[in-house]
Amino acid sequence: GNPYQPAIEALESHPEKKFYNVSKLGGAKYDVLPYSIRVLFESSVRNCDGFLVKETDAMNILDWKTKQSHVEVPFCPARVVLQDFTGIPAMVDFAAMREAVRNAGGDPVKVNPACPTDLTVDHSLQIDFSKCAIQNAPNPGGGEQKPLARLSPLKPPLRKPLPCRGQSGGQSGCRGSCGAGEAGRSTGAFSAQIENTPILCPFHLQPVPEPETVLKNQEMEFGRNRERLQFFKWSSKVFENISVIPPETGMAHQVNLEYLSRVVFDVKDFLHPDSVVGTDSHTTMVNGLGILGWGVGGIETEAVMLGMPLSLALPEVVGCELTGTVSPLATSIDIVLSITKHLRQADVAGKFVEFFGSGVSQLSVADRTTIANMCPEYGAILSFFPVDNVTLKHLKHAGFDKAKLEVTEAYLKAVKLFRSDESSSREPEYSQVVQVSLGSIIPYVSGPKRSQDRVAVNNMKSDFQACLNEKSGVKGFQIAAEKQNDIVPVQYEGNEYKLSHGCVVIAAVISCTNNCNPSVMLAAGLLAKKAVEAGLAVKPYIRTSLSPGSGMVTHYLSSSGVLPYLSKLGFEVVGYGCSTCVGNTAPLPEAIRNAIKQGEIIACGVLSGTKNFEGRLCDCVRANYLASPPLVVAYAIAGTVRIDFDTEPLGTGFNGKSIYLRDIWPTRQELHTVEEECVISSMFRELKEKMEKGNKRWNLLEAPESTLFPWDLKSTYIRCPSFFDKLAKEAAPPAAVENAHVLLFLGDSVTTDHISPAGSIARSSAAAKYLTSRGLTPREFNSYGARRGNDAVMTRGTFANIKLLNKFIGKPAPKTVHFPSGQTLDVFEAAELYQKEGIPVIILAGKKYGLGSSRDWAAKGPFLLGVKAVLAESYEKVHRSQLIGIGIAPLQFRPGENPTTLGLTGREQFSILFPADLSPRMTLDVKTSTGKVFSVIALFENSMEITLYKNGGSLNFVARRFL
């Protein structure tokens, strides 16, 4: 029983709901804990069973202030998210466990994941058919038009673009309407159509049937992965606690954030915080919703699915205090990148980061999830934003009903997991505090020749003047003082215009780098709307374009109703491919080009892309600036970069009134309102419909419904693994390792990449030989990642890295020596011979064995090769626990000792006795065939790890619990 059951209470506003009142249980200590640590504490209290989670674990977390970084604590996440590549071996293991439990006399129906698990199938799209989105784009710098539009190997787009403003023959961005007429451009039409058909014609902004490219790629995916998809569908039918997200729904992190997140779990009227671990590096995005979560490896994820807790060092928590008010011109991207820069400089690697302060409420949920998603950039485990009123407002638009929101808010406040801006609320105590003043975040542009040359927008006019004065180089243009104010008149479309240094002739809104936070695109659209309503316009000779980067961004712009206003200013959607920033800009009108060249004018391009090298956009445009999307629109309206937005108007509006940038710049509140009410709600409705309806191919896909999976013995993708071959109801005492040969003699810093199968399957490898023997050609080998459900392939790929340096071989090669015969063989072939001869094997290694990313097959592979123990000088912590979790003993040489100091050649045979009363960090004796005896440390840190090892690993331990 749980010793903390007396702490269970009823929720005051909803007495039918129960929960552990950890706030009362923890008292004053709890009140100063960081919110993220409070989630860890609640989990330890709720899951305390005296074995996997002990009372001392909960108390250690409560004493976080003094115990941080000094103790290991267990954490039981509320759920798991898998993507398809890592999901397949986990589900194959569960299918094999059912078989083993049945064979041992148990009920296979009882074998189910202990933790709710969501598996997304859409993570590995391979593109077989593609279409260039840029129509009739010229070579960089101008020249002969060369149409690039193509659909390979399908036919070209059905409609030819209609002529554009100021051009003949449709050689620039298209203004056509696919015959739908101008009525098709109304906001209402866009909104109605976007919900039913989210994919738009990239050239005419009209809804179209699913493009042939999408259909063809989906057909190829289903054909190539049919066997895997059938296995996933079988899993979703027979296993409890497993939910499979159908193909064509979305990637793991997107679906996790937009659909799977609960914030508060309600299981049979019992409430607890949502938390998650996933095999996707973007899992941290959910921290922006107040959900504790981060990415882990396959073995850790599978352990959680089996009901085992994660073990982690009680982390330090860095508090990031946000103060001040955001500059009106600063965009979400400015804020995200500035905060990321501060955290990178603060040394937060391996720590939790938690945000607090008066400035947090100024960040939308989109801002927060983007910051949390940047964790790998600054090295933190996670970046936590506690739930507050901004979160609740977002959840309302995301589809949470009123009753669920009320329970969520009441529960989080009861356990003090709700952040408030009230001055009376006490802030938690942190390991260290990093302060970020939002008021110091000002918008920048980059240029005029290099992206690393940043210029504050309020200094733009003076900086450009300095560039005119400087000698020719990385920034300067060396324009004589008497020519710096030259004006060149030019006739265009029957009107006269005046060009001068700094005039804008190219303005491109590109969102390829802004898809993670499309609010900057919305800002550009809202600014365009206000500009049009104020009577402002863009000069017709300026080459304007809009390339949304993805259909989702077009969805944002369409459903918010701003596309017609962008169009009115000349910013038409030209497609979804790389365009302006790679030089694919339509040529400037001949009159404008001539005027620039004859007057030696330093003309400018402004774009929201990533590249701005001199002459890249056009050979006559020498100054190019990277700016946020709304600033691109602003500079296009102004027609020049030689402007001080604070003191000079953008132009003249209706009734001759001067319009300043501050008059039309959308406020953050306006942006948040449009984003939440117009965009987020429609996105979630669409995603919910996809989840509920599935898709035609998935719905029609046939899959078995038997309790046990009917393994296809001919399959080279899915195979029943041999982890449970010796499963018995009772675990046998740990067997001694007798007269073991050394399979590999390795040095320092052997990484999981050296161990685990990865990448393509080499034609000369043991895996290739196996697949060839099954009738496959090299073209059909695919990759190790695609065959992770076949242990025969993966075992043969273990230690198959060509960079593996085995001291027996003396050079990098995936080879070793089979000592009884003296042959040099592939690692798998040698291991296979040892197993046939009944000879156990071990691995000798140096320092930091198992360094690098967590990989499940870095432990599973050696186990299936017959490795009984690893003797190393030191281990990477996560890999050490993975070895125990699969049933391999991690043994460590005593300090100051290693194979060299002990005089070991690796050619000896080794014997190791494991006593029945094995205890953490016990010293064991190792005897060699040469008579040498030395001691090693058994690197088991607690009784749970010893129990797992005695059971042959976590898989067999859990299987016996089902028996």
Side-chain angles (χ1 to χ4, degrees), residues 809-820:
I809 305 300
K811 62 180 180 180
K815 302 284 185 179
T816 194
V817 175
H818 176 253
F819 288 107

Side-chain angles (χ1 to χ4, degrees), residues 424-448:
S424 58
S425 62
R426 184 178 181 181
E427 297 289 4
E429 296 178 0
Y430 295 103
S431 308
Q432 70 181 89
V433 172
V434 176
Q435 291 185 321
V436 178
S437 171
L438 297 179
S440 67
I441 301 173
I442 58 175
Y444 285 85
V445 296
S446 295

Side-chain angles (χ1 to χ4, degrees), residues 183-506:
R185 295 187 180 279
S186 69
T187 304
F190 277 130
S191 299
Q193 292 161 329
I194 196 73
E195 288 185 24
N196 297 321
T197 312
I199 300 174
L200 305 183
C201 165
F203 304 105
H204 307 111
L205 306 184
Q206 295 302 304
V208 295
E210 283 193 291
E212 291 174 274
T213 47
V214 175
L215 296 173
K216 286 286 185 180
N217 279 315
Q218 289 171 356
E219 287 174 10
M220 291 292 289
E221 282 291 292
F222 266 79
R224 166 188 302 119
N225 296 308
R226 176 172 294 276
E227 190 177 341
R228 191 160 56 107
L229 293 175
Q230 286 176 325
F231 177 75
F232 282 146
K233 193 162 186 179
W234 171 80
S235 299
S236 68
K237 288 181 177 182
V238 303
F239 285 113
E240 296 176 7
N241 266 347
I242 282 284
S243 173
V244 175
I245 312 303
E248 303 169 31
T249 303
M251 291 183 292
H253 46 279
Q254 175 196 344
V255 175
N256 183 25
L257 182 69
E258 297 175 356
Y259 184 79
L260 302 177
S261 296
R262 282 83 152 175
V263 183
V264 170
F265 259 79
D266 187 342
V267 182
K268 297 179 180 179
D269 286 333
F270 202 96
L271 306 176
H272 62 85
D274 189 3
S275 56
V276 61
V277 291
T279 53
D280 182 71
S281 59
H282 297 280
T283 304
T284 52
M285 289 178 73
V286 297
N287 299 158
L289 281 175
I291 299 169
L292 199 71
W294 64 93
V296 295
I299 286 231
E300 295 96 319
T301 307
E302 200 166 332
V304 174
M305 292 171 66
L306 292 166
M308 313 289 291
L310 286 178
S311 181
L312 72 156
L314 191 59
E316 295 180 42
V317 183
V318 177
C320 185
E321 183 178 15
L322 305 181
T323 60
T325 304
V326 178
S327 165
L329 297 186
T331 67
S332 293
I333 297 300
D334 294 322
I335 295 168
V336 168
L337 294 181
S338 181
I339 291 174
T340 298
K341 179 182 177 182
H342 277 85
L343 291 174
R344 189 186 295 121
Q345 295 171 342
D347 186 24
V348 298
K351 304 173 185 177
F352 283 10
V353 172
E354 186 169 296
F355 291 86
F356 72 103
S358 59
V360 174
S361 296
Q362 297 180 53
L363 302 184
S364 69
V365 168
D367 297 335
R368 300 176 186 190
T369 54
T370 308
I371 292 168
N373 192 39
M374 299 287 279
C375 275
E377 291 295 320
Y378 43 86
I381 297 174
L382 55 83
S383 288
F384 193 70
F385 288 86
V387 174
D388 59 8
N389 287 321
V390 174
T391 318
L392 292 180
K393 186 177 179 181
H394 171 83
L395 295 176
K396 178 182 178 183
H397 294 299
F400 276 45
D401 59 46
K402 183 179 179 182
K404 186 174 182 179
L405 278 174
E406 288 176 353
V407 171
T408 297
E409 182 176 3
Y411 167 72
L412 292 175
K413 287 181 175 178
V415 293
K416 297 182 180 179
L417 285 173
F418 189 88
R419 193 190 71 82
S420 173
D421 284 327
E422 296 177 7
S423 57
S424 58
S425 62
R426 184 178 181 181
E427 297 289 4
E429 296 178 0
Y430 295 103
S431 308
Q432 70 181 89
V433 172
V434 176
Q435 291 185 321
V436 178
S437 171
L438 297 179
S440 67
I441 301 173
I442 58 175
Y444 285 85
V445 296
S446 295
K449 300 180 182 182
R450 305 186 306 174
S451 57
Q452 62 264 45
D453 295 326
R454 302 177 73 206
V455 183
V457 171
N458 54 7
N459 293 332
M460 179 67 157
K461 185 176 182 179
S462 58
D463 187 82
F464 185 80
Q465 184 64 42
C467 290
L468 295 179
N469 290 323
E470 282 187 31
K471 292 182 178 180
S472 294
V474 294
K475 287 197 71 172
F477 296 105
Q478 200 169 351
I479 303 299
E482 64 273 13
K483 291 187 176 183
Q484 290 180 7
N485 294 314
D486 284 357
I487 294 176
V488 178
V490 60
Q491 289 289 326
Y492 182 71
E493 292 187 341
N495 295 307
E496 182 177 278
Y497 299 94
K498 297 177 180 178
L499 303 183
S500 59
H501 296 298
C503 63
V504 174
V505 293
I506 295 174

Side-chain angles (χ1 to χ4, degrees), residues 47 76 259 437 477 550 592 751 765 794 806 863 899:
N47 293 287
C76 300
Y259 184 79
S437 171
F477 296 105
S550 77
I592 303 299
T751 70
S765 66
M794 298 300 284
N806 181 6
F863 174 82

Side-chain angles (χ1 to χ4, degrees), residues 97 723-724 726-727 951-961:
M97 188 184 295
F723 298 125
F724 304 99
K726 298 180 181 179
L727 179 67
N951 276 272
S954 56
L955 289 172
N956 282 275
F957 171 74
V958 173
R960 287 193 176 92
R961 296 180 74 175

Side-chain angles (χ1 to χ4, degrees), residues 72-128:
E72 293 272 328
V73 295
F75 173 52
C76 300
R79 58 188 174 95
V80 166
V81 172
L82 300 172
Q83 39 99 329
D84 47 4
F85 267 11
T86 50
I88 194 76
M91 297 315 303
V92 164
D93 288 348
F94 270 93
M97 188 184 295
R98 280 199 162 194
E99 192 115 350
V101 167
R102 192 277 309 268
N103 293 340
D107 183 0
V109 176
K110 294 181 179 179
V111 177
N112 295 289
C115 181
T117 301
D118 299 294
L119 191 154
T120 62
V121 181
D122 257 359
H123 209 78
S124 57
L125 174 66
Q126 184 170 319
I127 299 174
D128 299 282

